[in-house]
């Protein structure tokens, strides 16, 4: 066999050896792509792509694209709109359309339904007739919303997630104060995540320090006390806290008995209660990365520093702390990231003004049925999470799985 | 080790303060998870200490009432389905990934662990909207598939750890001796990595057994799981039955995870000694 003939065989063999492990991974990879990646991609795409209005108004869309200019259009476009609305009314799709239009222009729902009824009754209705039935149609803002809506690709929802919108003049402006909720929700989510992170760091650092300096048998025993709550599901721990935080619950009993409170405090549905419970749940997540770094520290280093004349605190500050900082940052960042996605604990313990971004997403899906807004909020939450996670793995090399 | 051989007074005070602070810390960590346990044995209908009396009535409720029983059955069924699926797929994946010739590892690994990083609400909402369109929402298959997605990273990682020390020459030896790859797998590889696989299976079961958010979106009344029943109960009317359910869930999760961790440690040790 000549060398030239052998070469393809070698290549083919190499490829099949590379292919076999890929075949073993393929089933799970396929499942993940189909039942995890694809659904999330489909969800996020809804934040940018919303064809409902364009689908309901094909004639209006065509008429608008042939007529130029902004503002309230001429009679021809109104006749196209009347035809579209009449068709939607006949097919009973008009409620869907009016609802999704209302998302873009609050208060427009009933007006659109009225216009559709008028158009269905009188097929020769003109501009004046439609405006008489639904005065909103004589408003420039309404037509700006229709023009934006017939374009299937939209920035409306994503801007809305930041309390921003397009003005009639085509610039980005902040939303009216009574509609501006999301910046506050994101701010609250980040604030609570930051508070919980700081609390867990303050509690976890000394404990990790203590465990890492104990004799192995003792350290193992204390570590079990950290791991027991870690192994208990978040729901069960949240349930435990709802029992403790009740008005006539244990914590209030203890506070009264110790004389730390005069009256029973409202801890359930309060931010204080939420932060206490979240701190308790997150503590092991912060502690374990810090502990794993501290465990690898040599105690002789501190002694060396002290024998060279450093006072204990100086040695700690100059020698110990810089070396455990990666673990501290990793633990803190991990807790911060996990807190951004909290859902169960705020839903059960937080009050109405303590709901985090995840609760808003769930609410837009379950109650408001506004999936575009849920998609836009999911997009912001997911990008913040992945961004922070990338930061964490890139700079700190923390692996989610090297804990415990 | 905390104290130097000749501790000063200042050092003793610092260490004493550290112990006190950490003692309080440990109480804060441990006490809350034990609070539901005594309450679950209460004979009263309120969460008050001291207990009015001891009784098993709330366990009878949870194990006897049709609602709770159905929820326990569903949790076990969905957990079992998830465990089987996640363990098989995750083990295959870990074996493939452990092959030194595996291509594009840096691309594949982040995809495999992404279910742990994506906020669970985003996963739940995305899965719900998508499964509703293809008819998988409100089905056992749908919930099992979604839980498998969440559970599989744990299997991949635990089995992967037990494979780090597995000597691939053993597989080559079985092939030379005439064994088909499947025979080699079942006779040589699987027995050696079994602790890791069982540990991964336990992680998978607990992941599904404790999961509530995805189930909340995907499950209809028919597939209500135990955590879902608890979540609803906590929102609507608090009853000591919830503390009984919580105690049972906690007991099962802690036992399984302890076993899983022991097995994982054992398999890591085995891997370590094999590679020495």
């Amino acid at each position: 066999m000549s060398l030239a003939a052998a070469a393809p065989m070698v290549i083919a063999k190499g490829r099949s050896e590379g292919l076999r492990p890929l075949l073993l991974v393929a089933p799970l990879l396929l499942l993940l792509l189909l039942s995890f990646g694809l659904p999330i991609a489909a969800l996020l795409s809804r934040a940018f792509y919303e064809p409902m209005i364009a689908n309901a108004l094909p004639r209006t869309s065509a008429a608008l694209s042939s007529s130029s200019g902004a503002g309230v259009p001429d009679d021809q476009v109104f006749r196209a709109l009347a035809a579209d609305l009449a068709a939607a009314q006949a097919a009973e799709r008009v409620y869907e359309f009016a609802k999704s239009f209302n998302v873009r222009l609050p208060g427009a729902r009933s007006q659109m339904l009225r216009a559709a009824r008028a158009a269905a009754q009188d097929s020769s209705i003109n501009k004046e007739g439609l405006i008489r039935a639904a005065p909103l149609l004589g408003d420039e803002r309404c037509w700006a919303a229709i023009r934006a809506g017939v374009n299937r690709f939209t920035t409306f929802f994503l801007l809305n997630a930041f309390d921003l919108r397009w003005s009639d003049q085509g610039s980005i402006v902040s939303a009216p104060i009574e509609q501006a909720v999301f910046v506050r929700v994101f701010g609250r989510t980040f604030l609570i995540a930051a508070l919980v992170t700081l609390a867990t760091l303050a509690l976890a650092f000394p404990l990790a320090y203590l465990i890492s300096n104990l004799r192995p048998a003792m350290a193992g025993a204390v570590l079990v006390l950290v791991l027991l709550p870690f192994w208990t599901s978040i729901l069960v721990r949240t349930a435990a806290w709802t029992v403790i935080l009740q008005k006539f619950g244990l914590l209030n009993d203890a506070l009264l008995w110790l004389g730390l409170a005069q009256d029973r405090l409202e801890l359930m549905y309060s931010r204080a209660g939420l932060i206490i419970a979240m701190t308790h749940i997150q503590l092991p997540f912060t502690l374990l990365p810090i502990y794993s770094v501290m465990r690898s520290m040599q105690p002789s280093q501190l002694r060396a520093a002290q024998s060279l004349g450093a006072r204990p605190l100086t040695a700690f500050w100059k020698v110990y702390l810089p070396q455990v900082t990666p673990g501290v940052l990793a633990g803190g960042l991990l807790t911060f990231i996990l807190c951004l996605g909290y859902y169960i604990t705020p839903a059960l313990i937080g009050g109405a003004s303590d709901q985090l971004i995840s609760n808003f997403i769930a609410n837009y899906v379950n109650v408001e049925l506004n999936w575009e807004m849920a998609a836009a909020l999911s997009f912001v939450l997911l990008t913040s999470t992945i961004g922070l996670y990338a930061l964490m793995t890139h700079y700190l090399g923390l692996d989610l799985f090297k804990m415990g | 080790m905390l104290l130097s051989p000749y501790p000063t007074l200042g050092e003793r005070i610092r260490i004493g303060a550290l112990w006190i602070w950490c003692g309080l810390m440990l109480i804060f960590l441990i006490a809350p998870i034990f609070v539901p346990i005594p309450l679950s044995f209460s004979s009263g209908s309120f969460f008050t200490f001291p207990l009015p009396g001891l009784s098993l009535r709330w366990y009878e409720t949870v194990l006897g009432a049709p609602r709770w029983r159905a929820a326990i059955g569903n949790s076990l069924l969905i957990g079992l389905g998830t465990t089987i699926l996640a363990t098989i797929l995750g083990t295959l994946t870990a074996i493939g990934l452990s092959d030194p010739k595996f291509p594009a590892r840096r691309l594949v690994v982040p995809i495999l662990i992404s279910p742990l990083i994506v906020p669970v609400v985003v996963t739940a909402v995305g899965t719900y909207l998508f499964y509703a369109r293809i008819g998988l929402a409100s089905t056992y298959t749908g919930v099992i598939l979604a839980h498998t997605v969440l559970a599989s990273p744990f299997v991949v990682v635990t089995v992967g750890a037990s494979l780090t020390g597995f000597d691939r020459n053993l597989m080559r030896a079985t092939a030379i001796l005439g064994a088909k790859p499947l025979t080699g797998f079942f006779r040589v590889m699987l027995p050696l990595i079994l602790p890791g696989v069982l540990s991964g299976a336990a992680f998978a079961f607990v992941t599904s057994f404790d999961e509530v958010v995805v189930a909340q979106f995907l499950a209809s009344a028919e597939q209500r799981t135990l955590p879902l029943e608890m979540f609803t109960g906590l929102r609507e009317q608090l009853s000591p039955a919830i503390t009984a359910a919580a105690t049972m869930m906690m007991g099962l999760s802690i036992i399984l995870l302890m076993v899983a961790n022991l097995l994982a440690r054992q398999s890591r040790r085995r891997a370590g000694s094999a590679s020495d």
Side-chain angles (χ1 to χ4, degrees):
Chain A
M1 197 194 304
S2 74
L3 266 179
M9 272 188 67
V10 172
I11 293 167
K13 187 161 176 282
R15 196 182 293 157
S16 81
E17 276 185 4
L19 219 62
R20 203 167 60 187
L22 201 56
L23 278 179
L24 290 171
V25 175
L28 180 56
L29 210 52
L30 215 62
L31 175 74
L32 282 182
L33 291 177
L34 288 179
S35 102
F36 176 72
L38 199 58
I40 288 179
L43 168 70
L44 296 183
S45 73
R46 297 188 78 131
F48 308 98
Y49 180 75
E50 210 268 287
M52 178 75 90
I53 294 170
N55 287 349
L57 305 178
R59 301 175 190 86
T60 318
S61 170
L64 275 175
S65 63
S66 62
S67 79
S68 59
V72 181
D74 58 16
D75 198 43
Q76 189 209 342
V77 177
F78 270 89
R79 270 202 296 272
L81 177 68
D84 280 333
L85 288 177
Q89 176 91 347
E92 291 184 358
R93 279 185 292 115
V94 74
Y95 297 99
E96 264 178 1
F97 158 73
K99 187 168 169 300
S100 66
F101 192 70
N102 195 64
V103 168
R104 290 160 178 262
L105 189 65
R109 189 177 176 278
S110 57
Q111 298 256 342
M112 278 296 169
L113 291 179
R114 243 180 290 153
R117 232 174 293 130
Q121 276 162 12
D122 177 7
S123 59
S124 62
I125 194 166
N126 60 4
K127 180 173 174 176
E128 283 74 41
L130 268 178
I131 292 180
R132 211 177 309 125
L136 192 65
L137 286 171
D139 191 333
E140 281 187 13
R141 284 186 308 134
C142 178
W143 284 96
I146 293 177
R147 281 195 181 88
V150 295
N151 186 356
R152 290 154 198 263
F153 292 94
T154 174
T155 50
F156 175 84
F157 299 102
L158 212 55
L159 283 178
N160 206 7
F162 292 101
D163 294 337
L164 297 170
R165 55 199 52 184
W166 293 104
S167 73
D168 302 340
Q169 287 75 41
S171 57
I172 293 176
V173 294
S174 21
I177 197 84
E178 71 276 7
Q179 287 167 32
V181 284
F182 298 117
V183 169
R184 236 182 313 152
V185 176
F186 278 111
R188 178 194 304 157
T189 306
F190 278 83
L191 175 74
I192 290 184
L195 288 174
V196 172
T197 305
L198 288 178
T200 56
L201 281 177
L203 302 179
F205 188 91
L207 190 54
Y209 178 77
L210 181 79
I211 302 175
S212 66
N213 279 298
L214 290 173
R215 265 173 276 115
M218 187 74 176
V222 179
L223 207 55
V224 166
L225 297 185
V226 177
L227 287 173
L228 275 181
F230 186 61
W231 292 339
T232 308
S233 81
I234 291 185
L235 179 66
V236 170
R237 278 185 279 171
T238 303
W241 278 105
T242 61
V243 171
I244 298 168
L245 296 171
Q246 294 294 314
K247 191 161 189 187
F248 292 90
L250 269 186
L251 193 54
N252 264 320
D253 286 348
L255 288 175
L256 277 182
W257 186 70
L258 289 169
L260 291 171
Q262 305 302 319
D263 278 314
R264 290 185 177 271
L265 306 173
E266 295 290 347
L267 293 166
M268 275 299 282
Y269 313 116
S270 78
R271 184 161 300 179
L274 175 63
I275 288 177
I276 294 173
M278 282 176 74
T279 302
H280 176 253
I281 294 168
Q282 280 306 124
L283 196 50
F285 287 97
T286 317
L287 186 134
L288 292 171
I290 300 179
Y291 168 67
S292 74
V293 173
M294 285 181 172
R295 194 176 41 179
S296 62
M297 289 278 303
Q298 295 293 331
S300 53
Q301 287 190 3
L302 275 179
R303 254 171 256 147
Q306 289 184 35
S307 75
L308 290 170
R311 291 153 62 84
L313 271 180
T314 319
F316 180 80
W317 194 252
K318 289 255 171 91
V319 176
Y320 193 79
L321 208 55
Q323 295 193 66
V324 296
T325 303
V328 174
L329 287 177
L333 218 47
L334 180 64
T335 282
F336 188 81
I337 292 171
L338 291 174
C339 285
L340 291 185
Y342 255 63
Y343 169 76
I344 297 170
T345 316
L348 291 177
I349 293 182
S353 61
D354 301 313
Q355 299 301 300
L356 304 188
I357 195 66
S358 287
N359 307 103
F360 273 77
I361 293 173
N363 194 52
Y364 272 108
V365 173
N366 289 332
V367 183
E368 312 251 337
L369 306 180
N370 180 351
W371 295 340
E372 283 72 31
M373 209 54 236
L377 296 176
S378 296
F379 182 84
V380 181
L381 175 62
L382 190 60
T383 41
S384 337
T385 307
I386 290 180
L388 283 167
Y389 184 76
L391 198 79
M392 184 169 93
T393 47
H394 187 257
Y395 286 106
L396 303 167
L398 176 93
D399 196 328
L400 255 189
F401 303 106
K402 289 193 178 134
M403 304 186 316
Chain B
M1 276 208 273
L2 276 167
L3 286 170
S4 56
Y6 304 102
T8 59
L9 181 65
E11 204 177 335
R12 282 178 193 280
I13 292 174
R14 272 203 302 279
I15 300 301
L18 179 68
W19 266 107
I20 292 172
W21 177 250
C22 290
L24 291 173
M25 215 59 292
L26 288 172
I27 293 172
F28 171 66
L29 257 177
I30 284 297
I33 68 165
F34 284 109
V35 166
I37 299 174
L39 288 171
S40 67
F41 294 104
S42 168
S43 61
S45 310
F46 301 101
F47 296 123
T48 46
F49 284 106
L51 300 179
L54 291 177
S55 115
L56 286 174
R57 57 185 280 210
W58 299 112
Y59 285 89
E60 275 165 30
T61 308
V62 172
L63 293 172
R67 251 182 107 83
W68 285 102
R69 264 173 82 146
I72 293 175
N74 280 334
S75 269
L76 293 176
L77 181 71
I78 290 168
L80 214 62
T82 302
T83 307
I84 293 171
L85 205 55
T87 307
I88 293 174
L89 295 181
T91 304
L92 287 180
T93 301
I95 293 172
L97 270 183
S98 74
D99 195 311
K101 288 195 206 66
F102 187 81
R105 189 186 307 270
R106 292 172 139 266
L107 195 75
V108 172
V109 171
I111 298 177
L112 289 175
I113 62 162
S114 54
L116 297 186
I117 299 152
V118 173
V120 65
V121 161
V122 178
T123 307
V125 170
T127 312
Y128 166 61
L129 295 182
F130 191 76
Y131 280 17
R133 208 180 308 163
I134 58 174
L136 275 177
S138 312
T139 66
Y140 286 98
T141 319
V143 183
I144 290 174
L145 279 180
H147 277 185
T148 302
V149 165
L150 294 178
S152 59
F154 293 105
V155 182
V156 174
V157 171
T158 18
V159 178
S162 73
L163 275 166
T164 49
F166 179 75
D167 189 353
R168 295 203 150 251
N169 287 324
L170 290 176
M171 294 313 281
R172 226 165 278 157
T174 59
I176 289 168
L177 292 170
K180 294 203 178 85
L182 263 184
T183 317
F185 171 75
F186 280 112
R187 293 282 185 81
V188 176
M189 189 184 233
L190 190 59
L192 282 171
I193 64 169
L194 196 62
V197 175
L198 291 177
S199 165
F203 277 120
F205 184 83
V206 172
T207 305
S208 166
F209 193 72
D210 282 345
E211 205 287 325
V212 59
V213 185
V214 168
Q216 200 195 7
F217 281 87
L218 273 185
S220 65
E222 204 189 335
Q223 292 93 30
R224 290 172 71 84
T225 59
L226 187 58
L228 206 49
E229 191 67 45
M230 251 181 77
F231 186 78
T232 325
L234 283 166
R235 286 197 124 171
E236 284 156 12
Q237 34 126 213
L238 226 45
S239 121
I242 286 169
T243 59
T247 306
M248 288 164 57
M249 276 181 67
M250 190 170 77
L252 189 58
S253 300
I254 288 184
I255 290 170
L256 278 176
L257 289 178
M258 256 175 174
V259 171
N261 271 284
L262 284 177
L263 284 170
R265 199 168 302 165
Q266 185 190 339
S267 80
R268 268 203 301 269
R269 204 171 317 144
R270 209 183 264 189
S273 64
S275 62
D276 280 344

